[in-house]
Amino acid sequence: MSKKVISALIMIIVLSVMVNIYVNDNMLSVLNAQSAPAFQLPKGSKVVLGKYNNREIAWDIGNNDNNGSYVLMSSKPIVDKIETFNSSLPIVNSPVSAVADRENYCFQHAYRVIMYCPITPLKDEINKIALNNSENTLIERAPFLPSVNDVKNGGNLGLGLGDRAYKSKLSYWLDGYITSYTYYGGAYRNLYAHSTQTGLLTPLYSDDMNDFDTGTVISKNEKIFWNNSREWDGGPVVKNALRPFALLNKAKIVFAANTSYTDDAWHSYTIDTSNLNENNELNPNKLRIQSSLTASLQDIKNESKTKSISKVIKNGSVNLYVNANTGTNTKMSVILYDDAGTQIQYYKLGSNTLSGTNDYILDLTGIPVGKYQVAVINEEYDASSNLPVESSAISDLMPLEIVEPHKLTYTKTPQSGASAGNDYEFGKNVNAGQAVGKVTASPTGVTPLTYTLEANGDNTYQNFEVDGLDSNNASSNTPLNVKIKSGAPDLVNGGLKAGNYKFCITAVDANGDPVDTSGNPTEKVCTSFTVEKTNPTIAF
């Protein structure tokens, strides 16, 4: 067989091995990945959506599982007090049953109490809420005035009293008409008035109510009660708050985070649910809407980009290899889940997204020791607004464990044989192959550790070696003996000659950490000791 053929075969074999290593390495990354769980906002959390009078609106989630929708209720009323009474409309003295007619008249009781006027002013005000194109893709039902049948127990929206009523005495208008069964403060059965949702601190009324259109009994415990448009002719106009509701498609919301998580820092990920129905807009969340943006986490490598890893030291850095496309001011953000990959622990707004497959340095400073699952999300960033932005889906997860960095200690361990008072003595316990001490790693960090024995002010370090290392000077075992080399330069008759000896030991972990800016290991222990002369024994 010719030399050319042999050379070609060798090249083919080498290429085959390299390709196999590459494929196996990437297959390992794929096998380590798992799908991120479907994201869901909890009931009681707040989100930002739409504008009213050019002010962004925060909403409470009163139900997070209503047939695939989130039920939103404005966290604060868009109007604190608003009336339905309209003096320009005709006033009639007998109930008008047709819904269309209800929008054209004010009904007056015999005692000149205005029982109701059209709710058109309420709906018109809600219709002033502006939604952008991205928000409209989320909407299952645009902001609306909720009806009695929407909010009541067992109603369309699946809300209980605690889900929908303000925790104060604040009442808000509903779309519908109710009455009491018997005489009750001027209202009679079949003479109906507007319905309102009263607050949790509002005292209970003595009677149940009745939905005028359906005849359904509404328990007084639901705190849904009637309210007139006007108490009497010329008397005070009744004003309640205006609280719009809306329905959002859950499936189109891939992620949300507190609106304060906008700096280049890690945030312990939490969603506040304590402010449900508190009439405030504290701790709202910014929605991410799935779009044509993409992000696929391909691999996690060490800081020097030389190998795939699944462990890193505390406060270290890794490189995330991600394939993504770009959009309008997009960022490659990072989400850390717990080890099970079910609960989000930390979130960090990332650096600018790059098109194609690229590496992104991830500084893990501040993240506690533990096992995590890493994911990325490619999201738009708009510092001027808390309204929803477009994003990719959350990527598959890859495991990453953060461990304490290794710490070295050195202990002298002279073997027996030296004269009393001496640790080390020529010809007694410093012969080639004997141990002079041991180096211990605790904690062990990311193993295996690669050890180097180096100078401590002179060349006497050349007499020693760390025992038990592989061909790369690495080991996962601890402790390891430091012994005298065979053929050491200061051996005399097989033993170290009398004198002073010094050396240092450094170690880097499997990722090549920790090192200084020049690439020199920073974890180091140093020692020195003296080999004493042997005193001659004289016989008389």
Side-chain angles (χ1 to χ4, degrees):
M1 185 178 294
S2 69
K3 290 183 178 180
K4 289 184 177 180
V5 174
I6 293 172
S7 297
L9 287 173
I10 291 172
M11 286 298 295
I12 291 171
I13 292 170
V14 170
L15 286 171
S16 176
V17 170
M18 291 177 66
V19 169
N20 191 52
I21 291 172
Y22 175 81
V23 170
N24 287 340
D25 186 56
N26 281 273
M27 282 299 294
L28 182 62
S29 295
V30 172
L31 290 174
N32 282 339
Q34 70 180 70
S35 297
F39 179 82
Q40 177 163 295
L41 284 158
K43 183 173 75 173
S45 54
K46 295 179 185 288
V47 298
V48 180
L49 185 87
K51 290 184 176 182
Y52 173 76
N53 288 342
N54 210 34
R55 184 185 67 84
E56 294 176 359
I57 307 173
W59 305 73
D60 291 357
I61 296 181
N63 183 355
N64 70 339
D65 192 17
N66 183 58
N67 299 317
S69 297
Y70 290 120
V71 176
L72 303 188
M73 316 172 296
S74 65
S75 300
K76 297 177 69 174
I78 61 170
V79 180
D80 290 330
K81 294 181 179 180
I82 189 170
E83 63 184 276
T84 63
F85 176 72
N86 186 340
S87 60
S88 68
L89 291 176
I91 296 177
V92 296
N93 293 316
S94 59
V96 180
S97 59
V99 174
D101 285 343
R102 293 175 183 170
E103 294 301 307
N104 297 313
Y105 301 96
C106 287
F107 168 62
Q108 178 177 256
H109 184 257
Y111 295 142
R112 295 193 307 172
V113 174
I114 304 297
M115 304 298 290
Y116 73 84
C117 285
I119 57 172
T120 304
L122 309 181
K123 293 184 175 181
D124 288 345
E125 204 64 30
I126 291 175
N127 287 336
K128 293 178 182 178
I129 295 173
L131 302 173
N132 61 36
N133 290 336
S134 295
E135 292 170 324
N136 281 322
T137 66
L138 293 177
I139 294 295
E140 292 287 309
R141 188 176 174 188
F144 62 93
L145 181 69
S147 70
V148 173
N149 203 44
D150 284 331
V151 302
K152 71 177 184 180
N153 294 347
N156 298 328
L157 302 181
L159 301 171
L161 177 61
D163 303 329
R164 66 181 189 257
Y166 281 116
K167 293 178 181 177
S168 60
K169 292 183 178 181
L170 183 64
S171 298
Y172 57 87
W173 295 108
L174 298 177
D175 183 0
Y177 305 92
I178 56 176
T179 186
S180 59
Y181 282 112
T182 56
Y183 176 82
Y184 195 94
Y188 292 82
R189 182 174 176 80
N190 295 330
L191 299 182
Y192 52 100
H194 290 296
S195 56
T196 55
Q197 175 65 65
T198 62
L200 292 182
L201 294 183
T202 303
L204 280 176
Y205 294 95
S206 59
D207 289 336
D208 294 337
M209 295 289 107
N210 190 59
D211 185 348
F212 182 81
D213 289 315
T214 65
T216 305
V217 175
I218 302 170
S219 169
K220 62 183 179 182
N221 295 319
E222 293 199 46
K223 296 200 170 184
I224 295 175
F225 199 64
W226 59 269
N227 219 320
N228 302 322
S229 291
R230 200 170 187 182
E231 292 299 334
W232 56 84
D233 189 7
V237 172
V238 177
K239 295 181 179 181
N240 292 290
L242 182 58
R243 189 187 198 190
F245 282 42
L247 298 183
L248 297 189
N249 186 328
K250 289 175 57 177
K252 293 182 179 179
I253 299 172
V254 296
F255 183 62
N258 191 287
T259 55
S260 67
Y261 297 174
T262 55
D263 53 7
D264 186 27
W266 285 107
H267 293 272
S268 180
Y269 183 86
T270 57
I271 292 181
D272 183 8
T273 60
S274 65
N275 285 289
L276 176 62
N277 294 325
E278 286 281 11
N279 191 23
N280 65 45
E281 297 180 337
L282 297 177
N283 295 327
N285 297 276
K286 188 169 186 172
L287 298 174
R288 277 71 164 176
I289 308 168
Q290 186 168 355
S291 66
S292 59
L293 292 173
T294 60
S296 174
L297 179 58
Q298 309 277 302
D299 200 359
I300 303 175
K301 290 193 174 184
N302 61 348
E303 193 170 4
S304 61
K305 309 176 187 178
T306 57
K307 61 182 292 187
S308 298
I309 62 172
S310 60
K311 287 186 179 181
V312 66
I313 58 171
K314 183 180 179 182
N315 297 327
S317 296
V318 299
N319 278 274
L320 303 182
Y321 280 74
V322 181
N323 181 269
N325 58 2
T326 55
T328 304
N329 197 20
T330 46
K331 302 281 188 179
M332 187 56 61
S333 298
V334 182
I335 302 170
L336 292 185
Y337 288 79
D338 59 10
D339 185 36
T342 56
Q343 299 294 322
I344 298 174
Q345 304 293 303
Y346 298 93
Y347 165 80
K348 183 178 185 179
L349 182 71
S351 56
N352 292 336
T353 304
L354 304 174
S355 180
T357 300
N358 296 276
D359 64 279
Y360 299 81
I361 297 176
L362 179 63
D363 184 353
L364 292 161
T365 299
I367 301 299
V369 166
K371 293 183 178 181
Y372 300 94
Q373 296 283 340
V374 183
V376 294
I377 183 170
N378 186 12
E379 56 179 349
E380 290 182 344
Y381 174 65
D382 182 358
S384 67
S385 171
N386 289 321
L387 295 177
V389 292
E390 294 187 352
S391 79
S392 69
I394 298 173
S395 74
D396 285 349
L397 313 179
M398 296 190 72
L400 183 65
E401 182 178 1
I402 298 175
V403 300
E404 292 287 355
H406 63 274
K407 181 70 177 176
L408 298 182
T409 56
Y410 178 81
T411 307
K412 293 180 181 180
T413 58
Q415 297 192 15
S416 62
S419 301
N422 295 333
D423 287 332
Y424 303 95
E425 187 175 346
F426 173 70
K428 299 292 183 67
N429 63 348
V430 286
N431 298 318
Q434 288 188 307
V436 297
K438 62 182 178 181
V439 60
T440 302
S442 180
T444 56
V446 184
T447 57
L449 302 180
T450 300
Y451 293 86
T452 301
L453 202 147
E454 59 184 45
N456 183 16
D458 58 30
N459 290 327
T460 56
Y461 76 96
Q462 296 173 350
N463 294 287
F464 307 98
E465 63 184 0
V466 179
D467 193 24
L469 303 182
D470 62 19
S471 59
N472 296 314
N473 293 322
S475 176
S476 296
N477 298 323
T478 193
L480 297 171
N481 287 329
V482 180
K483 68 179 185 179
I484 302 167
K485 287 182 180 178
S486 297
D490 290 321
L491 289 178
V492 175
N493 296 327
L496 284 182
K497 65 184 181 182
N500 296 321
Y501 294 87
K502 304 175 183 178
F503 58 81
C504 293
I505 301 172
T506 65
V508 294
D509 67 15
N511 298 333
D513 294 321
V515 294
D516 61 21
T517 55
S518 299
N520 298 314
T522 57
E523 183 54 32
K524 176 188 290 190
V525 288
C526 296
T527 189
S528 63
F529 64 93
T530 300
V531 175
E532 304 292 343
K533 294 179 180 180
T534 300
N535 294 321
T537 302
I538 301 174
F540 294 95

